Amino acid sequence: MSTTSQKHRDFVGEPMGDKAVTALSGIGEILGKKLEQQGFDKAYVVLGQFLLLKKDTEMFTDWLKDASGANSRQAGTCAQCLKEWCDAFL
Amino acid sequence: MPDPSGLTDDDLKAALLELGVKAGPIVASTRALYEKKLRKLLQSNGHGCLNGVEKDELYSDSEEEEEENGEEEDKELGSEGEKEEAVKQSDQAKQGSSQFPSGSQSVMPDGESSISSQAFSITHMVEEMESRRPLSTSSDTERELNVSNVQKHWSRSNRLDMPIVDTMKNQSLYYTPKASPYKWKMKLTQEPVKDTFKDMFPNTDATTTGIYATRRRPIKGAAGRPVQYAYPDTPVSPTTLEKREVERRLVPIQIQILVFLIVTCLLYLIYVCVEDNSFGPSFALLDSLYQGSDSEEGLLLQAETQDVPALSGQE
């Protein structure tokens, strides 16, 4: 397996359904709260944003950094997580 | 260029498209991002345009740049036509190298400006080739092809440079020593390689300038990573991987069926044993069983007789 965390593997291994935003790899408690404040209360809403940006990880990373104050690593992890999820299920 | 925040969604999208960015839907949440992107591109474009137009004029004479610098800057600020030319030129270059939509556009003029004194050899060559041939409508496509081909080849060899130069435009001068040997190498390798290219790639159409460019496989080993000759099969989703692992660990199905049959036979036999002598046809079976397990029966009988007196004693 590549260097992915358990959280990443858990998320990418099954359809996200109604999982909370904090289930995304790279999104912890604090970032999750900030996203929820902006209306991104579920993982699928963040997925929606990712898809709106045409699955471009760079743009999504920029957006996430602006929206939640994530650093590059966290945003990159989240983008990668979503990208793999899309590759598997979309 | 108007301020991105003043543009309508459609205008913003069109502006980004002009700069080679295929924007997705511009919605409330994505608008801010695209505006920022447009601003970034405009800034880089602004820097690039000035230099790019200089280069346009420099095709004819590469030595008089300093004088032309001053002139060009004055001219440009007012006129759109020259800007369009520069954008067009960079657009043509872009069409060939689709991998670097905004990067190449901003890099090419920047690269040129920084190495201006060293006579940008590729465009120089192209310009020479063109001057030999009669200018016709097809020359534009030729030039496009040449520039794009050359750009492709140049961009491949300067792959490492490109992102660096792109991001550090102010300090592009620092990278001149790095860039120039690449250019000289390009110039040197171009001529002797022409014939071998024909042999290696007989299918490529002969361009009028004789410059060929084909896609080169990225050299993984050069970057210090191990060379990977065998690539993995079709990407498998994590669920199928897990399923396969689980299947491997389970008992094969043949053995499962066999065990099932054995167990059913045993249970049937036991059932038959437990039943009393009411079953006629099973007599023979019982007899065989009794014969087989004589000692067991003997023990059982003893146990029964012992139990019975115990029970009767208790009562």
Side-chain angles (χ1 to χ4, degrees):
Chain A
M1 278 247 184
S2 59
T3 54
T4 51
S5 67
Q6 187 57 42
K7 205 173 175 189
H8 177 105
R9 289 197 283 276
D10 288 341
F11 190 82
V12 174
E14 57 179 357
M16 64 171 79
D18 253 352
K19 284 187 189 167
V21 146
T22 46
L24 281 162
S25 178
I27 306 291
E29 287 281 334
I30 299 169
L31 293 177
K33 282 254 165 3
K34 292 217 187 112
L35 283 171
E36 280 168 28
Q37 282 167 8
Q38 302 205 10
F40 296 89
D41 55 343
K42 292 282 181 187
Y44 60 73
V45 190
V46 180
L47 172 71
Q49 183 66 20
F50 181 67
L51 296 174
L52 266 180
L53 296 169
K54 305 190 80 160
K55 300 199 247 173
D56 182 358
T57 45
E58 254 189 63
M59 293 218 65
F60 178 78
T61 315
D62 289 337
W63 170 80
L64 191 59
K65 288 202 267 195
D66 284 338
S68 69
N71 62 34
S72 301
R73 188 194 62 80
Q74 289 165 322
T77 315
C78 186
Q80 189 59 29
C81 178
L82 280 169
K83 183 166 189 304
E84 282 186 30
W85 189 93
C86 287
D87 289 341
F89 296 102
L90 211 50
Chain B
M1 270 284 192
D3 182 28
S5 41
L7 290 168
T8 66
D9 290 342
D10 287 335
D11 287 342
L12 182 61
K13 191 162 189 177
L16 282 163
L17 203 62
E18 267 177 51
L19 297 165
V21 174
K22 279 210 190 118
I26 297 189
V27 190
S29 54
T30 59
R31 194 186 160 96
L33 266 168
Y34 285 124
E35 276 181 26
K36 213 198 311 182
K37 192 156 195 171
L38 187 62
R39 277 203 193 92
K40 217 184 349 173
L41 287 168
L42 286 176
Q43 278 178 8
S44 70
N45 224 11
H47 291 311
C49 263
L50 295 169
N51 301 329
V53 175
E54 285 166 12
K55 268 298 142 186
D56 237 18
E57 298 296 317
L58 281 167
Y59 279 147
S60 51
D61 196 339
S62 60
E63 289 179 2
E64 291 179 8
E65 5 163 311
E66 285 183 10
E67 294 173 359
E68 290 186 14
N69 271 355
E71 286 178 6
E72 286 313 294
E73 280 180 18
D74 289 337
K75 275 189 211 165
E76 270 168 60
L77 289 170
S79 65
E80 260 189 19
E82 289 169 8
K83 251 191 199 173
E84 274 175 15
E85 244 185 71
V87 174
K88 191 178 158 200
Q89 178 209 344
S90 28
D91 273 343
Q92 287 172 352
K94 236 185 302 133
Q95 279 164 26
S97 60
S98 56
Q99 280 195 14
F100 303 89
S102 55
S104 65
Q105 178 202 342
S106 57
V107 167
M108 210 169 135
D110 274 345
E112 288 165 12
S113 68
S114 60
I115 313 157
S116 52
S117 57
Q118 291 166 16
F120 192 61
S121 61
I122 296 158
T123 50
H124 206 63
M125 277 177 72
V126 168
E127 181 257 327
E128 275 178 11
M129 302 272 191
E130 276 176 31
S131 62
R132 281 181 222 145
R133 280 163 184 72
L135 285 171
S136 59
T137 51
S138 63
S139 72
D140 277 344
T141 52
E142 278 177 18
R143 187 217 264 183
E144 183 184 314
L145 193 65
N146 295 338
V147 173
S148 62
N149 279 344
V150 164
Q151 176 76 359
K152 239 192 238 176
H153 200 72
W154 179 65
S155 64
R156 291 289 177 283
S157 54
N158 286 319
R159 187 172 268 185
L160 291 169
D161 275 356
M162 294 276 259
I164 299 166
V165 182
D166 191 21
T167 54
M168 297 161 77
K169 294 183 209 357
N170 297 333
Q171 304 172 23
S172 60
L173 288 166
Y174 287 128
Y175 293 93
T176 47
K178 222 192 217 179
S180 55
Y182 278 71
K183 292 232 167 26
W184 293 122
K185 209 209 295 184
M186 255 290 302
K187 196 179 178 189
L188 288 168
T189 54
Q190 280 249 324
E191 280 132 14
V193 167
K194 260 188 219 169
D195 293 329
T196 55
F197 260 132
K198 270 190 202 154
D199 297 333
M200 274 160 47
F201 305 106
N203 295 327
T204 54
D205 301 329
T207 58
T208 50
T209 55
I211 297 172
Y212 304 90
T214 50
R215 190 178 161 74
R216 188 186 73 185
R217 203 167 71 95
I219 300 172
K220 285 214 160 186
R225 280 168 286 187
V227 182
Q228 187 185 8
Y229 288 117
Y231 287 89
D233 292 329
T234 57
V236 184
S237 72
T239 41
T240 48
L241 278 172
E242 281 178 25
K243 259 191 240 168
R244 281 185 195 166
E245 266 194 52
V246 170
E247 276 174 20
R248 227 170 2 101
R249 292 200 201 120
L250 288 176
V251 178
I253 197 143
Q254 300 285 345
I255 297 176
Q256 279 184 346
I257 292 170
L258 196 62
V259 168
F260 175 70
L261 286 172
I262 290 170
V263 169
T264 42
C265 284
L266 275 171
L267 285 172
Y268 178 67
L269 288 170
I270 291 167
Y271 171 71
V272 161
C273 281
V274 168
E275 284 297 319
D276 283 340
N277 296 337
S278 54
F279 283 145
S282 63
F283 252 56
L285 199 61
L286 286 171
D287 281 338
S288 67
L289 274 172
Y290 282 133
Q291 281 167 18
S293 56
D294 238 355
S295 55
E296 285 181 24
E297 280 299 313
L299 282 170
L300 274 170
L301 281 167
Q302 282 180 11
E304 277 177 17
T305 49
Q306 279 172 10
D307 278 340
V308 168
L311 282 169
S312 62
Q314 278 180 1
E315 281 175 6

Short mmCIF file of all heavy atoms in Angstrom, two decimals, chain A residues 6-32:
data_model
loop_
_atom_site.label_atom_id
_atom_site.label_comp_id
_atom_site.label_asym_id
_atom_site.label_seq_id
_atom_site.Cartn_x
_atom_site.Cartn_y
_atom_site.Cartn_z
N GLN A 6 -4.88 5.67 7.63
CA GLN A 6 -6.03 4.78 7.84
C GLN A 6 -7.31 5.52 7.50
O GLN A 6 -8.23 4.97 6.89
CB GLN A 6 -6.05 4.31 9.29
CG GLN A 6 -7.10 3.27 9.56
CD GLN A 6 -6.95 2.05 8.68
OE1 GLN A 6 -5.86 1.57 8.44
NE2 GLN A 6 -8.06 1.56 8.16
N LYS A 7 -7.35 6.81 7.84
CA LYS A 7 -8.54 7.61 7.57
C LYS A 7 -8.80 7.68 6.07
O LYS A 7 -9.93 7.54 5.60
CB LYS A 7 -8.32 9.02 8.12
CG LYS A 7 -9.58 9.77 8.45
CD LYS A 7 -9.25 11.09 9.13
CE LYS A 7 -10.50 11.89 9.36
NZ LYS A 7 -10.22 13.24 9.82
N HIS A 8 -7.73 7.86 5.32
CA HIS A 8 -7.84 7.91 3.87
C HIS A 8 -8.39 6.60 3.35
O HIS A 8 -9.33 6.57 2.56
CB HIS A 8 -6.44 8.19 3.30
CG HIS A 8 -6.38 8.19 1.82
ND1 HIS A 8 -6.29 9.33 1.06
CD2 HIS A 8 -6.41 7.17 0.93
CE1 HIS A 8 -6.25 9.02 -0.21
NE2 HIS A 8 -6.32 7.72 -0.32
N ARG A 9 -7.82 5.51 3.84
CA ARG A 9 -8.26 4.20 3.35
C ARG A 9 -9.71 3.94 3.72
O ARG A 9 -10.47 3.39 2.93
CB ARG A 9 -7.36 3.11 3.93
CG ARG A 9 -5.96 3.13 3.34
CD ARG A 9 -5.26 1.82 3.62
NE ARG A 9 -4.77 1.72 4.99
CZ ARG A 9 -3.61 2.22 5.40
NH1 ARG A 9 -2.82 2.84 4.56
NH2 ARG A 9 -3.24 2.09 6.66
N ASP A 10 -10.08 4.35 4.92
CA ASP A 10 -11.47 4.15 5.33
C ASP A 10 -12.42 4.91 4.43
O ASP A 10 -13.48 4.41 4.08
CB ASP A 10 -11.66 4.63 6.78
CG ASP A 10 -11.01 3.70 7.78
OD1 ASP A 10 -10.74 2.54 7.40
OD2 ASP A 10 -10.77 4.13 8.92
N PHE A 11 -12.04 6.14 4.08
CA PHE A 11 -12.94 6.96 3.29
C PHE A 11 -13.05 6.44 1.86
O PHE A 11 -14.13 6.35 1.29
CB PHE A 11 -12.46 8.41 3.28
CG PHE A 11 -13.46 9.34 2.69
CD1 PHE A 11 -14.52 9.82 3.46
CD2 PHE A 11 -13.36 9.75 1.38
CE1 PHE A 11 -15.46 10.68 2.90
CE2 PHE A 11 -14.29 10.60 0.83
CZ PHE A 11 -15.34 11.07 1.59
N VAL A 12 -11.90 6.10 1.30
CA VAL A 12 -11.86 5.72 -0.11
C VAL A 12 -12.38 4.30 -0.32
O VAL A 12 -12.67 3.91 -1.44
CB VAL A 12 -10.41 5.87 -0.63
CG1 VAL A 12 -10.25 5.36 -2.02
CG2 VAL A 12 -10.00 7.31 -0.58
N GLY A 13 -12.54 3.55 0.76
CA GLY A 13 -12.92 2.16 0.61
C GLY A 13 -14.39 1.91 0.40
O GLY A 13 -14.79 0.81 0.04
N GLU A 14 -15.22 2.91 0.65
CA GLU A 14 -16.65 2.68 0.51
C GLU A 14 -17.34 3.97 0.11
O GLU A 14 -16.79 5.06 0.28
CB GLU A 14 -17.22 2.17 1.83
CG GLU A 14 -16.95 3.10 2.99
CD GLU A 14 -17.55 2.58 4.29
OE1 GLU A 14 -18.21 1.53 4.25
OE2 GLU A 14 -17.34 3.22 5.31
N PRO A 15 -18.57 3.87 -0.42
CA PRO A 15 -19.33 5.08 -0.75
C PRO A 15 -19.49 5.95 0.48
O PRO A 15 -19.70 5.44 1.58
CB PRO A 15 -20.68 4.54 -1.21
CG PRO A 15 -20.43 3.15 -1.63
CD PRO A 15 -19.31 2.64 -0.79
N MET A 16 -19.37 7.26 0.29
CA MET A 16 -19.32 8.12 1.47
C MET A 16 -20.67 8.27 2.14
O MET A 16 -20.74 8.59 3.31
CB MET A 16 -18.75 9.48 1.11
CG MET A 16 -19.58 10.28 0.15
SD MET A 16 -18.98 11.94 0.00
CE MET A 16 -17.62 11.72 -1.11
N GLY A 17 -21.75 8.06 1.40
CA GLY A 17 -23.06 8.16 2.02
C GLY A 17 -23.25 9.47 2.73
O GLY A 17 -23.07 10.53 2.15
N ASP A 18 -23.59 9.39 4.00
CA ASP A 18 -23.88 10.59 4.78
C ASP A 18 -22.76 10.94 5.76
O ASP A 18 -23.01 11.58 6.78
CB ASP A 18 -25.17 10.36 5.59
CG ASP A 18 -26.32 11.16 5.00
OD1 ASP A 18 -26.07 11.98 4.10
OD2 ASP A 18 -27.45 10.94 5.45
N LYS A 19 -21.55 10.53 5.43
CA LYS A 19 -20.46 10.76 6.37
C LYS A 19 -20.26 12.24 6.62
O LYS A 19 -20.49 13.08 5.73
CB LYS A 19 -19.16 10.17 5.82
CG LYS A 19 -19.08 8.68 5.93
CD LYS A 19 -17.70 8.20 5.52
CE LYS A 19 -17.69 6.70 5.41
NZ LYS A 19 -16.50 6.20 4.73
N ALA A 20 -19.79 12.57 7.81
CA ALA A 20 -19.54 13.96 8.14
C ALA A 20 -18.28 14.44 7.44
O ALA A 20 -17.49 13.66 6.93
CB ALA A 20 -19.38 14.11 9.65
N VAL A 21 -18.13 15.75 7.47
CA VAL A 21 -16.98 16.36 6.81
C VAL A 21 -15.68 15.90 7.44
O VAL A 21 -14.65 15.79 6.78
CB VAL A 21 -17.14 17.89 6.89
CG1 VAL A 21 -15.82 18.56 7.03
CG2 VAL A 21 -17.85 18.42 5.69
N THR A 22 -15.73 15.62 8.74
CA THR A 22 -14.51 15.22 9.43
C THR A 22 -14.05 13.83 9.03
O THR A 22 -12.96 13.42 9.42
CB THR A 22 -14.71 15.26 10.95
OG1 THR A 22 -15.96 14.63 11.26
CG2 THR A 22 -14.74 16.68 11.47
N ALA A 23 -14.87 13.11 8.28
CA ALA A 23 -14.44 11.80 7.80
C ALA A 23 -13.43 11.92 6.68
O ALA A 23 -12.74 10.95 6.36
CB ALA A 23 -15.64 11.00 7.34
N LEU A 24 -13.36 13.10 6.07
CA LEU A 24 -12.40 13.30 4.98
C LEU A 24 -11.00 13.30 5.54
O LEU A 24 -10.74 13.84 6.62
CB LEU A 24 -12.67 14.65 4.31
CG LEU A 24 -13.83 14.68 3.32
CD1 LEU A 24 -14.24 16.11 3.07
CD2 LEU A 24 -13.43 14.03 2.02
N SER A 25 -10.11 12.71 4.76
CA SER A 25 -8.71 12.68 5.16
C SER A 25 -8.15 14.09 5.12
O SER A 25 -8.33 14.81 4.15
CB SER A 25 -7.95 11.77 4.19
OG SER A 25 -6.61 11.76 4.51
N GLY A 26 -7.50 14.50 6.19
CA GLY A 26 -6.92 15.83 6.24
C GLY A 26 -7.80 16.84 6.95
O GLY A 26 -7.35 17.93 7.29
N ILE A 27 -9.07 16.48 7.16
CA ILE A 27 -10.00 17.39 7.82
C ILE A 27 -10.21 16.89 9.24
O ILE A 27 -10.76 15.82 9.45
CB ILE A 27 -11.35 17.44 7.07
CG1 ILE A 27 -11.13 17.79 5.61
CG2 ILE A 27 -12.28 18.43 7.73
CD1 ILE A 27 -10.67 19.19 5.37
N GLY A 28 -9.78 17.71 10.19
CA GLY A 28 -9.96 17.33 11.59
C GLY A 28 -11.11 18.10 12.20
O GLY A 28 -11.97 18.63 11.51
N GLU A 29 -11.07 18.18 13.53
CA GLU A 29 -12.18 18.83 14.26
C GLU A 29 -12.31 20.29 13.87
O GLU A 29 -13.39 20.75 13.50
CB GLU A 29 -11.91 18.73 15.76
CG GLU A 29 -12.10 17.36 16.34
CD GLU A 29 -13.56 17.04 16.58
OE1 GLU A 29 -14.36 17.97 16.76
OE2 GLU A 29 -13.91 15.85 16.53
N ILE A 30 -11.18 20.99 13.95
CA ILE A 30 -11.23 22.45 13.76
C ILE A 30 -11.62 22.80 12.34
O ILE A 30 -12.52 23.63 12.10
CB ILE A 30 -9.87 23.07 14.14
CG1 ILE A 30 -9.57 22.76 15.60
CG2 ILE A 30 -9.88 24.56 13.89
CD1 ILE A 30 -8.17 23.08 16.02
N LEU A 31 -10.97 22.17 11.39
CA LEU A 31 -11.29 22.45 9.99
C LEU A 31 -12.72 22.04 9.69
O LEU A 31 -13.43 22.71 8.93
CB LEU A 31 -10.32 21.71 9.07
CG LEU A 31 -8.88 22.18 9.11
CD1 LEU A 31 -8.02 21.33 8.20
CD2 LEU A 31 -8.76 23.63 8.71
N GLY A 32 -13.14 20.94 10.29
CA GLY A 32 -14.50 20.48 10.08
C GLY A 32 -15.50 21.51 10.55
O GLY A 32 -16.49 21.80 9.86
#
